[in-house]
Amino acid sequence: MTPDALEGALRRPFAEPASDRVLDAAREAFEDVGIQRTTMRDIARRAGLGRATVYRRYPDRDAVVAAVLLREVRVFLAWLDERIDHIEDPAEQIAECFVAVVTGLRGHSLLNRLLTLEPAAALPAVTVDAGAVLAVARGYFAAKLREHQQAGRLRSFDPEPAAEVFVRLAHSMLLSPPGCIPADDDARSRAFARAHLVPVVTG
């Protein structure tokens, strides 16, 4: 799925209940046994639907995986909005956004389960094939910066590169071993963001 296609899909309403049942079942199966060991038959059985019904909505397992990923992105961004949208000060919103992203990714059950259960299969989805999701994340953060600019709370600059730095850092922290950037303590993560990320956008 291309970045434009994924972003467009993110803007569409959530799926109908039958599709949600399929995606709920697929997510459950992926967490239990991984993607590679999950079949369309397994998904249909867990959803309590006939295979024909599942195939009418999703032509193959890859389509189900893409739909599950899309929904996870939507849910994560909605959760992130709840955490940071009420913060008007751009510096504080950036710091809290960093803390929320690090916390949210660290505690994401499906993502962490797949990276543990079948890293060889999961890693391409979050590395070489992650361009669309990273582009959506960059667009999300850049949009937040533009809102502050339009409200006169932030200086004028191109927010895309700053958003790219933010997203790439969070992505690296998810995939790489712990380093000197705090990831397991909210207070230290917040202090790091204020010292090193906020100046990137506030000057």
Side-chain angles (χ1 to χ4, degrees):
M1 185 178 289
T2 66
D4 287 346
L6 180 53
E7 187 169 10
L10 282 166
R11 296 179 182 278
R12 292 197 291 270
F14 281 104
E16 67 272 17
S19 291
D20 279 343
R21 286 172 62 185
V22 173
L23 300 186
D24 288 343
R27 191 190 195 284
E28 178 185 277
F30 296 161
E31 281 204 41
D32 284 348
V33 300
I35 293 173
Q36 297 302 311
R37 294 177 60 189
T38 297
T39 66
M40 294 293 276
R41 182 191 294 272
D42 296 332
I43 293 170
R45 176 181 55 80
R46 288 175 183 257
L49 299 169
R51 277 189 294 167
T53 301
V54 175
Y55 276 112
R56 277 197 298 271
R57 287 166 171 78
Y58 306 99
D60 53 34
R61 189 183 62 186
D62 286 346
V64 177
V65 172
V68 170
L69 173 62
L70 170 62
R71 192 173 67 164
E72 291 300 306
V73 172
R74 296 182 69 160
V75 169
F76 188 84
L77 294 184
W79 172 82
L80 189 56
D81 274 342
E82 292 178 358
R83 291 282 300 266
I84 69 170
D85 259 5
H86 66 284
I87 304 173
E88 290 190 358
D89 180 76
E92 287 305 304
Q93 189 181 67
I94 290 166
E96 290 306 317
C97 185
F98 178 74
V99 172
V101 168
V102 170
T103 301
L105 292 179
R106 189 174 66 232
H108 195 282
S109 59
L110 176 61
L111 181 59
N112 287 286
R113 176 63 171 159
L114 291 178
L115 288 173
T116 300
L117 190 65
E118 49 180 26
L123 279 174
V126 294
T127 54
V128 295
D129 296 330
V133 172
L134 293 177
V136 169
R138 183 183 66 241
Y140 171 88
F141 188 56
K144 297 295 182 188
L145 297 179
R146 288 192 185 94
E147 289 176 7
H148 288 300
Q149 289 174 329
Q150 291 166 1
R153 295 188 293 263
L154 199 60
R155 64 188 174 89
S156 178
F157 66 96
D158 180 1
E160 291 289 337
E164 180 84 8
V165 169
F166 186 97
V167 169
R168 294 289 177 179
L169 175 61
H171 184 244
S172 175
M173 291 179 67
L174 168 68
L175 298 175
S176 302
C180 67
I181 301 175
D184 57 357
D185 182 286
D186 286 357
R188 292 180 62 218
S189 295
R190 189 174 293 109
F192 170 84
R194 286 171 177 160
H196 301 285
L197 298 182
V198 168
V200 173
V201 299
T202 64

